[in-house]
Amino acid sequence: MIEEQTKSYSKKQIFKTLHPWVRKWFDLQFNDFTPAQKKSIIDIHKKNSILISSPTGSGKTLTAFLSVISDLTTLADKDKLEDKVYCIYISPLKALDNDIEKNLDEPLKGIEKIAGRDLGIRKAVRTGDTSQYQRQKMLKKPPHILITTPETLSILLVAPKFREKLSGVKYVIVDEIHSLAENKRGVHLSLSLERLQHLIGYYTRIGLSATVSPIEEMAKFLVGYEYGVERNCKIVNINYLKELDMEVMCPVSDIVLADEEDTRLGMYDLLDDLIWENKTTLIFTNTRSGTERFVYNLKKMYPMHYNDTNIMAHHSSLSKEVRLETENKLKEGKLKAVVSSTSLELGIDIGYIDLVVLINSPKSVARALQRIGRSGHRLHEKSRGKIIVTDRDDLVECSVLLKNAKEGKIDKISIPTNCLDVLSQHIYGMSIENPWDIDYAYDVIRKSYCYKNLSRDDYEDVLSYMAGEYPELEERYVYAKIWIDYKENTFGKRGKLARMLYSTNIGTIPDSSGVLVKCDGETVGKIEETFMERLKKGDTFVLGGRTYRFNYGKGMTINVKPASGPPTIPSWFSQQLPLAFDLAMDIQRFRAHMDVKFRYRRSKEEIMEFIHEYLYVDDFAANSIYEYFVEQFKYAQIPSNQRLLIEYYKGFGGRRFVIFHSLFGRKVNDALSRAVAYVVARRYNMNVTISISDNGFYLSSDGKIGGLESFKELTPENFETILTKSLNKTETLASRFRHCAGRSLMTLRRYKGESKSVGRQQVRGKILLKFVQDMDDNFPILNEARREALEDYMDIKNALKVIEMIEREEMEIKTINTVIPSPFAFNLVSQGYLDVLNQNDKGEFTKRMHQAILDQIKDKLKDIY
């Protein structure tokens, strides 16, 4: 049973459960327990599983470890501490593992000092970076607290000598559980935790999470199921004790009227002021390229303020040494500012931060809270955050996001389920442990939250694939990994190299590298693999200031030819974070409120008053929002959660656009646009260009497009089938299949000490994909690649909700014809054109389009002013 912990214990009650030395150490360090500790420590002492969700700096880590340290101290005091692991701490980051090891030094050494003797409580980090010497040392003297990652845990489960050392595990702590649960690393971990429970019996599970919703699902993910019912778990939800001091800021008084250059300079001036008003500022930019650009420009524009010693970048493409240097300097208070992409979101100890600045929208309330929670890293201290916006869509988005953050409305997390590639990997791991009864193994697997609804057919299909029951696969060098004895109803490992193959190919994070772009045999540059996934034959994009048309991809190389005109895929597309669906729907609701105000002819003063009441914005921002909406209302119509607006626009050179004002987030729009484009191609035998954003998508072609007619063909019954068919022969499916083939061990990334390059994996993936499609279109790993594309890469679940809303007539469809894209459509239509213009031209283009709209509606505006 999952239940919220309502009882809070006093310091006296908690002290009764702790060893006297631990009590004394705590008293010397702290005045009292934090709210999270008052609700958690006694339950952990009672061996109850618990999920603790509270802001950064609220003592979560000590909450998890205090009872563990007290237990180990009691055993050490009685000389009963054995050579085995008592507690496993798991985190998504190696850097966080190293942090925790250092942070445990303080209590352990402090308690030893009080005890007046060496207690011999050992802790150690075991990851892929751990040397062979250290591993051997751990076998002889295992750590009592083992600090590791999800991948290393699954390797230890098949290591016969170390497995024995896990037999005494009483606690497993999963840190930053929210960041694991939303991807396949979490799926992988959930099965490892069930295999551990099968091996050693019950243990206490402790989950540490930032603000997350729905928290009950996260608790179920942590503890798993027994006989189809979730195991017991207490939820400690301490939120918003840190007051939020958040503000959306605009660098200019009017975003549209200001030049691009004025906005850019204004943003850097504002950023410089914010940095110098505070001791240490952490800046998030959403992309790696943005991180580098901001550090470079701040140093170049303000040489008296910034140099290599007081401002640094931090992102995943930098070397481990550079990242570590940045983290240490930040902790020591030596840096004035650090600019990060997303890499400092999680709880690495970075010391005290005065202010967090977000450049443009973080795209989700949970992410905004996680980032801003990095400031005021002490209990009861305000978290201070500023969001700097540079365009009107971002202004509206961030204003609604800020409202939701202040009101505690968090977007829902999505946890992948029934991932057949991860299942294949674990079945191989289980077979290495010992032979298994097929029915019993199925029961153990279904105890994981992620596989509670796994069908028997899918399970048997995976077993069949792993046992080599698709003999044609041997032609492509895919061999059986397990044996099955149907008479005895058992399976087990096949081959002497099983443990080596498993240990060197484990994990869910695919290898990745840059994709070479070749034109007439010459290399013209590199793009990211995620960018390549978006490309289909005929798409155009900008690289190094020139436009190219995509022909085909082979391995990690794509072939292009020169092209002209605006690109169909913007160059920054692959790095963009997708807008959360829940937040998108709240923006749509705000649009609906504004629409009603205008339709009932409310005055500007009344509408401005409403904006101030509804959102937390200053006068500049409120005025910009008002002007944006009044222009859209007078020129076209305001799309909302009650109205899907479809805009027909004839562009430069007579090109036709059908613009869908579908503000549902990029993942939903990706699904909707592909399905519509597939129907158009089938109905009219023509290919159309697609461009998508969080705020909508468009189809474009030189001829007439039956966009609305094709969209109306989509129903809740046929949508998934159409979307699945639209994936065939796309780079998206090819890429996803390569990743799934790697995870399911169809493709071995490493074999006998040699690594296969990403390019070779990609080529092999494409050959295998074609082979499998011809062999059996229902092959489990092919089905998984499709599921991953539909559910994880896109968002078919919420796209289906949109189709259902239209069918139930909860959302009406309205069409308009325009000679200039409407204000709400402008960013979407222009994203291609703006890629080929320089800074000054961009500003001029934007202003000209804006003025053209004002000219169209000037008579209507007189009615208002």
Side-chain angles (χ1 to χ4, degrees):
M1 185 172 138
I2 308 291
E3 57 181 336
E4 183 146 358
Q5 168 63 291
T6 51
K7 193 167 183 184
S8 187
Y9 295 91
S10 67
K11 186 176 178 181
K12 190 178 175 184
Q13 286 172 306
I14 297 170
F15 266 12
K16 276 183 187 173
T17 68
L18 300 176
H19 188 280
W21 297 337
V22 178
R23 287 205 294 262
K24 193 170 180 187
W25 171 80
F26 187 90
D27 245 352
L28 290 169
Q29 300 293 321
F30 308 98
N31 293 325
D32 197 2
F33 290 100
T34 68
Q37 290 163 352
K38 285 177 179 176
K39 286 188 169 187
S40 310
I41 291 172
I42 286 185
D43 269 297
I44 296 170
H45 172 74
K46 289 177 179 173
K47 306 291 187 287
N48 292 330
S49 290
I50 197 160
L51 173 65
I52 304 160
S53 172
S54 65
T56 308
S58 57
K60 282 198 295 274
T61 313
L62 187 60
T63 307
F65 275 112
L66 203 61
S67 283
V68 177
I69 291 169
S70 181
D71 272 10
L72 294 174
T73 304
T74 302
L75 289 170
D77 187 19
K78 295 175 180 174
D79 288 325
K80 288 186 177 177
L81 205 55
E82 296 176 48
D83 284 341
K84 61 184 182 183
V85 178
Y86 289 87
C87 172
I88 302 174
Y89 166 91
I90 300 162
S91 92
L93 298 175
K94 291 175 189 173
L96 199 48
D97 282 348
N98 295 327
D99 246 12
I100 292 296
E101 198 209 3
K102 280 186 214 149
N103 292 344
L104 283 174
D105 273 340
E106 192 186 338
L108 292 177
K109 283 178 179 169
I111 292 161
E112 282 186 343
K113 197 174 173 185
I114 290 161
R117 67 183 180 93
D118 183 0
L119 295 177
I121 299 171
R122 295 186 297 272
K123 57 180 174 40
V125 175
R126 174 79 182 258
T127 66
D129 295 342
T130 308
S131 68
Q132 196 57 42
Y133 167 72
Q134 288 292 338
R135 291 176 195 189
Q136 288 303 319
K137 203 170 146 189
M138 280 183 210
L139 265 180
K140 288 172 190 164
K141 287 274 184 188
H144 301 116
I145 299 173
L146 174 67
I147 300 162
T148 190
T149 58
E151 292 75 17
T152 303
L153 173 63
S154 56
I155 291 172
L156 296 177
L157 288 172
V158 300
K161 290 177 185 171
F162 205 92
R163 257 165 66 104
E164 294 167 19
K165 311 294 182 188
L166 300 177
S167 61
V169 168
K170 299 283 183 286
Y171 307 92
V172 171
I173 300 167
V174 185
D175 203 350
E176 303 286 357
I177 188 170
H178 59 283
S179 75
L180 286 167
E182 60 191 352
N183 55 55
K184 286 191 174 180
R185 287 185 82 197
V187 178
H188 197 279
L189 175 63
S190 76
L191 274 180
S192 292
L193 294 178
E194 293 311 326
R195 285 170 58 194
L196 179 66
Q197 182 134 339
H198 160 74
L199 181 68
I200 65 169
Y202 177 81
Y203 57 85
T204 305
R205 304 187 192 203
I206 305 161
L208 306 179
S209 174
T211 307
V212 71
S213 172
I215 197 163
E216 295 77 16
E217 291 305 301
M218 192 60 68
K220 292 173 191 174
F221 170 79
L222 171 68
V223 295
Y225 285 67
E226 201 76 58
Y227 306 113
V229 179
E230 67 262 12
R231 297 188 183 106
N232 292 339
C233 184
K234 296 273 183 78
I235 293 173
V236 173
N237 195 1
I238 311 281
N239 278 329
Y240 317 115
L241 285 181
K242 286 177 142 196
E243 291 180 57
L244 285 172
D245 175 7
M246 291 168 69
E247 187 185 0
V248 174
M249 301 183 84
C250 192
V252 287
S253 58
D254 191 312
I255 295 176
V256 176
L257 294 179
D259 299 325
E260 182 94 5
E261 187 63 8
D262 286 347
T263 305
R264 192 180 80 89
L265 293 174
M267 178 175 62
Y268 280 105
D269 281 343
L270 176 56
L271 194 53
D272 179 52
D273 288 343
L274 290 171
I275 292 169
W276 283 93
E277 283 166 12
N278 294 281
K279 186 173 179 288
T280 309
T281 302
L282 175 58
I283 300 151
F284 285 101
T285 64
N286 291 346
T287 64
R288 294 189 291 276
S289 57
T291 298
E292 295 291 354
R293 187 171 66 249
F294 271 86
V295 173
Y296 174 80
N297 285 337
L298 282 168
K299 286 196 281 196
K300 186 182 167 191
M301 293 165 71
Y302 310 95
M304 303 299 287
H305 286 179
Y306 308 104
N307 52 53
D308 291 343
T309 61
N310 69 356
I311 185 168
M312 291 181 84
H314 191 289
H315 57 75
S316 56
S317 295
L318 292 169
S319 71
K320 180 182 160 188
E321 291 73 24
V322 172
R323 291 202 306 269
L324 204 57
E325 183 193 354
T326 307
E327 289 158 24
N328 289 334
K329 281 188 173 177
L330 196 51
K331 220 179 291 185
E332 292 158 12
K334 291 179 180 175
L335 296 176
K336 195 76 190 150
V338 168
V339 187
S340 174
S341 53
T342 57
S343 54
L344 285 177
E345 278 179 3
L346 298 183
I348 302 165
D349 185 6
I350 50 174
Y352 188 75
I353 303 288
D354 295 274
L355 177 71
V356 170
V357 178
L358 312 184
I359 306 292
N360 296 326
S361 174
K363 299 291 176 184
S364 98
V365 179
R367 190 179 289 112
L369 289 171
Q370 175 88 353
R371 289 178 176 184
I372 289 166
R374 303 297 275 152
S375 71
H377 207 142
R378 289 174 195 146
L379 193 63
H380 304 307
E381 208 165 274
K382 272 191 178 180
S383 285
R384 293 178 59 236
K386 310 285 183 193
I387 308 176
I388 299 178
V389 296
T390 53
D391 77 45
R392 297 197 288 185
D393 283 335
D394 243 13
L395 173 59
V396 175
E397 188 177 303
C398 289
S399 301
V400 176
L401 183 149
L402 179 63
K403 173 187 173 68
N404 285 1
K406 282 181 177 281
E407 295 173 6
K409 199 171 175 189
I410 316 298
D411 15 64
K412 295 181 189 74
I413 194 168
S414 176
I415 302 172
T417 56
N418 299 331
C419 306
L420 303 183
D421 51 352
V422 176
L423 179 62
S424 305
Q425 204 176 109
H426 271 280
I427 284 174
Y428 195 31
M430 290 163 80
S431 75
I432 294 165
E433 287 176 28
N434 48 261
W436 283 72
D437 177 84
I438 290 173
D439 298 334
Y440 182 55
Y442 181 53
D443 289 342
V444 169
I445 288 162
R446 280 170 41 113
K447 289 179 180 182
S448 152
Y449 171 91
C450 300
Y451 291 95
K452 65 182 188 291
N453 297 320
L454 176 71
S455 73
R456 184 75 189 206
D457 283 351
D458 280 346
Y459 171 62
E460 288 178 359
D461 283 349
V462 169
L463 279 179
S464 181
Y465 147 62
M466 293 300 288
E469 291 176 8
Y470 293 85
E472 307 97 313
L473 283 173
E474 290 201 3
E475 293 173 35
R476 298 264 54 98
Y477 313 106
V478 178
Y479 300 107
K481 308 285 188 300
I482 63 171
W483 52 260
I484 297 179
D485 183 334
Y486 287 106
K487 196 175 172 185
E488 295 294 323
N489 202 43
T490 55
F491 70 86
K493 74 172 168 99
R494 189 185 278 224
K496 292 176 182 174
L497 295 174
R499 188 172 295 112
M500 182 273 289
L501 289 178
Y502 179 74
S503 301
T504 52
N505 288 280
I506 204 161
T508 60
I509 304 169
D511 295 339
S512 62
S513 73
V515 178
L516 286 178
V517 181
K518 288 195 169 185
C519 183
D520 297 327
E522 292 285 312
T523 300
V524 291
K526 265 188 175 186
I527 58 169
E528 290 182 346
E529 189 184 346
T530 45
F531 187 80
M532 179 178 79
E533 280 185 26
R534 282 291 312 160
L535 298 173
K536 63 181 192 307
K537 192 175 171 66
D539 274 338
T540 55
F541 63 95
V542 171
L543 184 65
R546 293 181 177 171
T547 307
Y548 296 99
R549 178 168 279 104
F550 174 68
N551 291 332
Y552 62 87
K554 186 178 179 184
M556 297 307 280
T557 303
I558 65 166
N559 183 280
V560 300
K561 61 184 179 187
S564 57
T568 58
I569 310 280
S571 57
W572 39 261
F573 185 91
S574 67
Q575 290 192 348
Q576 274 224 318
L577 296 166
L579 179 67
F581 179 75
D582 296 331
L583 177 56
M585 289 306 288
D586 284 330
I587 299 167
Q588 297 248 48
R589 286 183 193 101
F590 172 66
R591 283 181 169 187
H593 288 311
M594 291 292 281
D595 185 44
V596 168
K597 303 285 177 200
F598 285 118
R599 281 194 288 115
Y600 283 98
R601 301 178 70 83
R602 298 284 182 253
S603 67
K604 180 175 180 179
E605 288 71 26
E606 285 176 287
I607 298 174
M608 286 287 283
E609 196 178 319
F610 163 73
I611 294 171
H612 277 297
E613 277 174 17
Y614 193 81
L615 304 173
Y616 302 82
V617 290
D618 62 14
D619 287 340
F620 274 173
N623 189 61
S624 287
I625 291 170
Y626 174 82
E627 296 293 345
Y628 193 23
F629 275 81
V630 78
E631 286 169 23
Q632 177 69 25
F633 178 74
K634 290 296 179 187
Y635 181 66
Q637 292 182 42
I638 295 176
S640 69
N641 62 320
Q642 295 159 13
R643 178 188 299 135
L644 175 63
L645 185 63
I646 298 176
E647 179 175 344
Y648 292 91
Y649 157 66
K650 202 167 182 181
F652 304 119
R655 194 165 179 84
R656 296 169 190 269
F657 291 79
V658 182
I659 303 158
F660 290 75
H661 287 263
S662 51
L663 200 168
F664 303 115
R666 181 152 53 93
K667 289 170 81 169
V668 169
N669 285 335
D670 199 352
L672 293 173
S673 62
R674 283 175 194 256
V676 177
Y678 179 81
V679 176
V680 168
R682 196 182 60 191
R683 276 181 70 153
Y684 303 102
N685 197 24
M686 66 187 290
N687 279 326
V688 293
T689 297
I690 308 173
S691 191
I692 68 170
S693 75
D694 287 315
N695 288 22
F697 65 91
Y698 71 66
L699 308 176
S700 85
S701 168
D702 292 330
K704 191 173 183 293
I705 313 165
L708 176 58
E709 297 78 6
S710 300
F711 184 74
K712 282 184 171 175
E713 246 191 65
L714 303 178
T715 66
E717 292 73 34
N718 69 16
F719 183 63
E720 186 170 351
T721 306
I722 288 172
L723 189 55
T724 303
K725 284 179 180 173
S726 79
L727 281 173
N728 288 335
K729 297 181 182 172
T730 62
E731 288 295 331
T732 305
L733 184 63
S735 235
R736 299 287 134 185
F737 183 79
R738 169 173 79 79
H739 298 168
C740 295
R743 289 187 203 103
S744 62
L745 311 172
M746 284 185 84
T747 300
L748 297 176
R749 291 175 289 170
R750 281 164 282 280
Y751 183 66
K752 292 186 176 178
E754 284 190 24
S755 292
K756 191 172 283 180
S757 72
V758 177
R760 280 178 65 202
Q761 287 179 43
Q762 186 80 331
V763 170
R764 177 165 165 73
K766 279 196 172 173
I767 293 167
L768 268 179
L769 174 59
K770 175 80 175 72
F771 187 83
V772 163
Q773 284 173 320
D774 292 341
M775 176 188 79
D776 180 357
D777 203 47
N778 209 28
F779 183 67
I781 308 309
L782 176 58
N783 283 339
E784 174 53 29
R786 288 174 179 142
R787 187 213 62 78
E788 187 180 308
L790 297 177
E791 294 178 18
D792 305 345
Y793 181 71
M794 292 184 266
D795 183 356
I796 188 172
K797 187 180 82 174
N798 285 316
L800 203 49
K801 274 187 193 171
V802 173
I803 303 289
E804 286 165 353
M805 282 165 70
I806 290 165
E807 187 174 71
R808 291 196 301 265
E809 297 182 350
E810 291 168 16
M811 184 183 275
E812 62 174 352
I813 295 175
K814 289 283 185 183
T815 60
I816 53 166
N817 291 287
T818 57
V819 288
I820 303 154
S822 69
F824 283 13
F826 177 70
N827 273 351
L828 175 61
V829 173
S830 67
Q831 65 188 15
Y833 291 106
L834 295 183
D835 245 6
V836 290
L837 299 175
N838 64 34
Q839 288 291 88
N840 292 335
D841 291 344
K842 280 181 191 178
E844 199 49 47
F845 180 70
T846 306
K847 271 199 221 166
R848 271 211 319 272
M849 296 293 270
H850 181 239
Q851 190 54 51
I853 283 180
L854 290 180
D855 291 344
Q856 293 270 331
I857 62 173
K858 62 186 174 194
D859 293 333
K860 292 179 182 177
L861 285 174
K862 283 175 191 167
D863 297 345
I864 290 180
Y865 291 109

